[in-house]
Amino acid sequence: MSMTERPSGVFPAVCPLDCPDTCGLLLHKEEGKIVKVTGNPDHPATKGAICNKVRHMAEKVHHPDRLLYPMKRSGPKGSGRFVRISWKEALAEIAEKFRRLSAEHGSDSILPYSFYGNMGALNAEGMDRRFFGKLGASKLAYTICNSAGNTGWKYTMGFGGGSSPEDTLNAKLFIVWGGNIVSTSMHQAVLMEQARKNGAKIVVIDVHKNLTGRRADWFIPLYPGTDTALALGMMNVLFERGLTDDEFLRAYTVGHEELREHAKAYTPERVSRITGVPVDDIIRLAMMYGETSPSHIHIGNGLQHHDNGGMAVRTVSCLPALTGQWTRGGGAFKSNGSYASLNDDALTRPDLRPNPGVRTINMNKLADALLTTEPKVRGLFVFGSNPAVVAPESDRVREGLEREDLFTVVHELFLTDTAKYADIVLPATSSFENTDLYTSYWHHYVQLQEPVIEPVGESKSNFELFGLLAQAMGFEDEAFREPAATVVRAALDNPDNPYLKGVTLERLQAERFVELDMSPKADYLQRLTTPSGKIELYSQQLQALGLPPLPTYMPLEEGFDGENREHKHTAYPLMFVSPPNHNFLNSTFANVEKHQSMEKEPTLQIHPHDAEARGIEDGQLVEAYNARGVYALKAVVTDLMLPGTVVSQGLWWNTNPGENGTNKRRLANALTSSRIADMGGGATFFSTTVEVRHAQKAETPKPKSFSL
Ligand SMILES: Nc1nc2c(c(=O)[nH]1)N[C@H]1C(S)=C(S)[C@@H](COP(=O)(O)OP(=O)(O)OC[C@H]3O[C@@H](n4cnc5c(=O)[nH]c(N)nc54)[C@H](O)[C@@H]3O)O[C@H]1N2
Ligand SMILES: Nc1nc2c(c(=O)[nH]1)N[C@H]1C(S)=C(S)[C@@H](COP(=O)(O)OP(=O)(O)OC[C@H]3O[C@@H](n4cnc5c(=O)[nH]c(N)nc54)[C@H](O)[C@@H]3O)O[C@H]1N2
Ligand code: SF4
Ligand SMILES: [Mo]
C-alpha cells in the first residue's frame, strides 16, 4: 500500500522550504490528514531537530484558507473576488489566451514568474521550464535571492561550494558575516555552538544585532554596504603584520602581490571612517583572523542584497586564501549548491525551445517588466512565489498587476496578495502531496519526497499542471508525458558533477538520505573552475566587465557610509534594512494565525538618537517612507544598530491585520528599489534609504491598487 493509501502512520518527508537546511521530516498522519510534523532523527545532518515554523506546518497544509479548485476573477483586479470554474475550463482558457497572445504579439509577450516556494527540482525547475521553453515565452532571470553574492564568490573561487557543515565544527574562530543563522539556518547555528564548546570564538559582523549577534562572543556592528571596506581593512593589517600564508598565496592564488599593494590604501583609520567600526576593533579582528586556525566564515545573504553586494562577497571570500585556511581545515561558506548540481539540461530540456535567443527578464525588474518594458508583457504566469509582497518597488508591481490588458494566472496554495490580482487562480498541492527530488545548498544529502497525503481539494502539483497545459496547447513531445520517476533519474544522471556519482532513485527510495560522493573534495583546490584554475584575488573576468579586478570598496548608489554620510544631502537620511524574521519563511506563513501571533506585528527598530531627533517613542505607530512608498509599523526604540540604520524584519502581506486603519500599508517592499546589484543581476533590497515620521493616518493617500 502506498503512503497515501494508508490513513494513519508516520511517514518520511522533506522540508520543501527555501532554507539551506533541507531537513528530513516525519509526517504523523491520522485519518488521511497530517496532524503533526516532527524532525526525522535519522537524517545525518539535521538529526531530528526542526524549526518552529515547520513544527506548525500541519496547520498550513490543512488550513481552511487553502485554495481547493480553479477560479476565475469576478471583481476588479486585486479585489480577491472569484468564481469557481472546472479544471477543464481553466486549462482551455489559459491555452486559448496563450495561443492568441503568441499569434498576435509573439510568444515572448508571455512571462513565467516563479521562485522557490517549493525547492523540489521537479516542481520548481522541471516541467515548468519545459513548458515555457516549448511555448517560446520570455525567459526569467532568477536573481531575487543570492545572485549577486554567489556570482561574487565564483569570481574568486570558481566553484559554487565551500566548507562542508562538518568542517565548521573544528573552527577555533567562527565568523558569521551578514547572516542570521539562528533564524535562517538553525542547524548551522547548532554546529556553531558545538564549535564554541570546542574552544571557538564566535564573531558576528552585521548591521543589526540579530538573534545570532546576541549569541556572539563579539558582535561587530557596521554601516550597511561597507563590508568590502572592512574586509580590505583586515587584509591591510594581515599584509602589514606578516600574518598572511605566503606559501599558500604563491601556490593557489593569482594576484596576491597586486592585492598586497592595493590593500595599502585601506588603512584601519580610513576603513573605520567608512564602516563605523573603531580602528582598534579592525586591527583586533584582523589579528584574531590572522592568528587563529582553523577559522570559518559563514557568508550570509544580507551583505549581498546591496548595490555593491557581489563585490562584498567576492572580497570576503578572498580572506581564507590570505591565511591559507583552505589547507588548514578552515575556509568559508556562501552556498554549497554546486556540489549537488543536477543535470539541468535533462531537467529543463532547453532543446524544446524554438527561440533560444528570446529576451530574458530580470525578476527584480518585475515592476518595469509590467509597466514600461517593450515589447509589452501581456501574459504573466506566477507560481511558487508571491511577488506582490517579495519583489522590490511593490507599489509599482501592483500597478502593473492591475493592468487590464495583462492576463495573469497564479498557481498557489493560498489566495496571496499576488493571487488576488489573477484572472485565473489555480490550486497547488503542498509538497507532501507530490513526488520530488530535494538537494540542499548547505549539507550533502539528497532526498526524495513521495506523496504522503492525497491532493487537497482539486489541487495539482506544478509538475502535473504543466504537463496538462502542454496537452491543452497540443505539445506532442514525450517530455511532457514523462512520469516523475523518469525525470528524477534524468536529473540525477549528471556526468558533469562527480559529487553526484552513485546517487540513484533506487537508493533514495531505499535509504531516504543519500550522501553525495564527497571524495573529489580532497583535491578541491586543484579543481577550481576560475579561468586560471586558482583562487582569483585578481580577476581578469571582472576587469573585462568594467568592474575593478581587485577587491575594491564602492559606496552604495542609494545609502551612506561613514565617510560620505555628511556629504550626501538627502530627504531620506536613514538606511532601511528589511531582512527575514524568525517565524515566517519569506512571505510564507505570514497568513497563518499561529505564525502571525508569534511575530505579533511589523516593527521598525530605530536607534534612540534617531528616535529622539524625530520625537518618536517606543511603541508608537510610525511610517517609514521614501519616494517609492510608505510602510506603517510600530517603532521599537533600541540600540541594536548603529545610529542611521533602521531595521524591519519579516515580509508581511498587505492584508495582514493592522491597527488604526493603517493596514493598507504593510509592505516592506513598498520602500525598496529594483536597482540591480554590481554582479549577477542581483537584488538590492537593503540599499534603501528612508525617513521616518509619526503615522499620518489621514494625510497619507490610500494607494490606488488596494481596492479591498
Ligand atoms: N526563519 C527564516 N529562515 C529563512 C528565511 C526566512 O525568511 N525566515 N529565508 C530563507 C532564504 S530565502 C534565505 S536567502 C536565507 C537568508 O538568510 P541569511 O543568510 O541569514 O540572510 P538574511 O537573513 O537575508 O540577512 C542576514 C543579515 O544580514 C544583515 N545585513 C543587511 N545588510 C548588511 C550589510 O550590508 N552587511 C552585513 N554584514 N550585514 C547586513 C541583516 O541585518 C541580517 O541580520 O534564509 C532562509 N531561511
Ligand atoms: N524586503 C525584502 N524582500 C525580500 C527579501 C528580503 O530579505 N527583504 N528576501 C528575498 C529573498 S532572499 C527571496 S528568496 C525572495 C523569496 O520570495 P518568494 O520565493 O516569493 O517566497 P515566498 O514569499 O515564500 O513565496 C512562495 C510562494 O510559493 C507558494 N508555494 C509553495 N509551494 C508551492 C508549490 O509547490 N507550487 C506553487 N505553485 N506554489 C507554491 C507559497 O504558498 C508561497 O506563497 O524574497 C525576496 N524578497
Ligand atoms: S525551514 Fe529550514 S530549519 Fe525549518 S524544517 Fe525546513 S529546512 Fe529545517
Ligand atoms: Mo532567498
Side-chain angles (χ1 to χ4, degrees), residues 269-281:
E269 290 71 23
R270 177 174 169 224
V271 167
S272 175
R273 284 196 299 278
I274 296 171
T275 58
V277 180
V279 172
D280 289 349
D281 285 356

Side-chain angles (χ1 to χ4, degrees), residues 173-495:
L173 173 62
F174 195 115
I175 302 180
V176 183
W177 199 316
N180 183 15
I181 56 175
V182 168
S183 296
T184 61
S185 182
M186 62 172 270
H187 299 86
Q188 183 61 70
V190 170
L191 297 183
M192 175 182 86
E193 290 299 346
Q194 286 174 9
R196 186 192 334 245
K197 283 210 184 80
N198 298 337
K201 283 271 171 292
I202 313 293
V203 176
V204 172
I205 302 171
D206 207 288
V207 303
H208 165 234
K209 197 168 189 180
N210 55 32
L211 288 181
T212 313
R214 283 172 236 177
R215 293 230 202 133
D217 297 305
W218 185 18
F219 172 67
I220 305 178
L222 80 174
Y223 294 129
T226 63
D227 303 85
T228 305
L230 181 60
L232 279 158
M234 289 171 70
M235 293 179 190
N236 174 293
V237 176
L238 291 170
F239 282 124
E240 290 285 311
R241 305 205 177 200
L243 293 171
T244 51
D245 181 340
D246 294 343
E247 207 178 309
F248 182 94
L249 286 173
R250 279 191 294 273
Y252 295 111
T253 72
V254 291
H256 54 100
E257 285 311 326
E258 291 89 336
L259 183 60
R260 186 188 297 271
E261 266 314 294
H262 178 77
K264 286 186 177 153
Y266 294 88
T267 60
E269 290 71 23
R270 177 174 169 224
V271 167
S272 175
R273 284 196 299 278
I274 296 171
T275 58
V277 180
V279 172
D280 289 349
D281 285 356
I282 295 166
I283 296 171
R284 184 175 151 217
L285 174 65
M287 303 272 296
M288 200 185 254
Y289 190 71
E291 289 171 347
T292 316
S293 233
S295 64
H296 175 66
I297 308 180
H298 180 99
I299 308 176
N301 227 35
L303 75 164
Q304 58 97 61
H305 274 322
H306 281 290
D307 295 322
N308 57 14
M311 185 61 90
V313 171
R314 149 156 176 75
T315 305
V316 174
S317 58
C318 290
L319 284 169
L322 260 68
T323 63
Q325 283 305 315
W326 296 110
T327 51
R328 294 165 185 245
F333 163 93
K334 172 63 184 72
S335 162
N336 279 342
S338 293
Y339 293 120
S341 63
L342 300 168
N343 187 333
D344 197 45
D345 282 0
L347 200 52
T348 65
R349 296 289 304 274
D351 56 297
L352 296 168
R353 184 179 275 280
N355 54 351
V358 72
R359 67 175 169 184
T360 298
I361 289 184
N362 185 325
M363 69 189 298
N364 295 317
K365 290 279 179 200
L366 181 63
D368 285 353
L370 298 181
L371 292 174
T372 54
T373 301
E374 292 289 341
K376 268 187 169 177
V377 172
R378 295 169 188 273
L380 178 72
F381 199 122
V382 181
F383 57 100
S385 181
N386 186 10
V389 175
V390 306
E393 293 194 28
S394 48
D395 285 1
R396 286 185 69 232
V397 168
R398 282 166 192 248
E399 201 183 319
L401 290 171
E402 278 189 340
R403 259 176 53 202
E404 278 307 323
D405 63 339
L406 178 72
F407 173 66
T408 304
V409 182
V410 178
H411 184 225
E412 251 297 347
L413 285 88
F414 293 97
L415 197 62
T416 57
D417 283 7
T418 309
K420 290 210 168 96
Y421 290 89
D423 293 286
I424 294 192
V425 176
L426 302 171
T429 49
S430 80
S431 67
F432 303 147
E433 296 150 51
N434 303 339
T435 300
D436 218 326
L437 177 66
Y438 290 87
T439 58
S440 163
Y441 52 100
W442 175 62
H443 63 61
H444 301 320
Y445 295 86
V446 183
Q447 298 169 84
L448 184 74
Q449 175 73 56
E450 290 170 302
V452 174
I453 53 170
E454 294 290 350
V456 169
E458 294 180 2
S459 62
K460 294 189 190 300
S461 70
N462 306 7
F463 187 83
E464 185 183 359
L465 165 65
F466 290 110
L468 289 171
L469 268 177
Q471 247 176 36
M473 293 294 297
F475 298 161
E476 299 284 326
D477 312 70
E478 186 54 33
F480 296 108
R481 288 192 292 269
E482 281 177 358
T486 308
V487 183
V488 170
R489 279 205 182 84
L492 288 173
D493 180 14
N494 183 4

Side-chain angles (χ1 to χ4, degrees), residues 16-18 60 113-118 123 144-146 301 304-305 363 382-387 389-392 411-414 416 426 428-431 434 460-462 576 578-580 585-588 651 653 668-669 672 685-686:
L17 297 175
D18 187 353
K60 178 170 169 275
Y113 186 101
S114 70
F115 210 63
Y116 291 90
N118 170 359
N123 283 287
I144 203 165
C145 177
N146 51 20
N301 227 35
Q304 58 97 61
H305 274 322
M363 69 189 298
V382 181
F383 57 100
S385 181
N386 186 10
V389 175
V390 306
H411 184 225
E412 251 297 347
L413 285 88
F414 293 97
T416 57
L426 302 171
T429 49
S430 80
S431 67
N434 303 339
K460 294 189 190 300
S461 70
N462 306 7
F576 174 79
S578 54
L585 198 299
N586 301 318
S587 80
T588 295
L651 296 175
W653 295 13
N669 280 317
T672 59
F685 291 109
F686 304 158

Side-chain angles (χ1 to χ4, degrees), residues 50-232:
I50 58 169
C51 66
N52 208 24
K53 305 181 285 292
V54 171
R55 230 175 288 135
H56 298 295
M57 189 87 136
E59 205 159 315
K60 178 170 169 275
V61 171
H62 296 294
H63 197 283
D65 292 348
R66 256 194 76 174
L67 296 170
L68 299 177
Y69 36 76
M71 301 190 296
K72 194 176 164 156
R73 183 163 65 85
S74 62
K77 292 200 174 197
S79 68
R81 288 209 291 279
F82 293 92
V83 290
R84 180 175 182 171
I85 55 173
S86 69
W87 265 105
K88 205 169 153 212
E89 286 171 274
L91 292 169
E93 179 158 346
I94 297 166
E96 205 271 318
K97 269 277 171 19
F98 280 1
R99 262 190 232 109
R100 184 134 50 92
L101 285 175
S102 296
E104 289 173 11
H105 303 284
S107 56
D108 64 350
S109 65
I110 300 164
L111 176 70
Y113 186 101
S114 70
F115 210 63
Y116 291 90
N118 170 359
M119 292 287 292
L122 269 51
N123 283 287
E125 51 189 20
M127 208 48 98
D128 58 302
R129 305 292 204 267
R130 295 180 180 189
F131 175 77
F132 289 108
K134 177 82 185 181
L135 185 65
S138 281
K139 293 182 196 168
L140 187 75
Y142 300 87
T143 47
I144 203 165
C145 177
N146 51 20
S147 202
N150 285 6
T151 305
W153 168 280
K154 284 181 190 164
Y155 282 120
T156 301
M157 297 298 294
F159 179 76
S163 299
S164 298
E166 309 79 61
D167 301 341
T168 68
L169 272 176
N170 308 319
K172 294 292 176 236
L173 173 62
F174 195 115
I175 302 180
V176 183
W177 199 316
N180 183 15
I181 56 175
V182 168
S183 296
T184 61
S185 182
M186 62 172 270
H187 299 86
Q188 183 61 70
V190 170
L191 297 183
M192 175 182 86
E193 290 299 346
Q194 286 174 9
R196 186 192 334 245
K197 283 210 184 80
N198 298 337
K201 283 271 171 292
I202 313 293
V203 176
V204 172
I205 302 171
D206 207 288
V207 303
H208 165 234
K209 197 168 189 180
N210 55 32
L211 288 181
T212 313
R214 283 172 236 177
R215 293 230 202 133
D217 297 305
W218 185 18
F219 172 67
I220 305 178
L222 80 174
Y223 294 129
T226 63
D227 303 85
T228 305
L230 181 60
L232 279 158

Side-chain angles (χ1 to χ4, degrees), residues 601-608 611 616-620 622 633-641 646-647:
E601 64 188 304
T603 59
L604 186 76
Q605 301 178 39
I606 181 165
H607 193 277
I616 288 167
E617 284 169 29
D618 191 64
Q620 283 182 334
V622 296
L633 66 186
K634 192 170 102 179
V636 173
V637 179
T638 167
D639 61 359
L640 294 172
M641 313 75 56
V646 292
V647 172

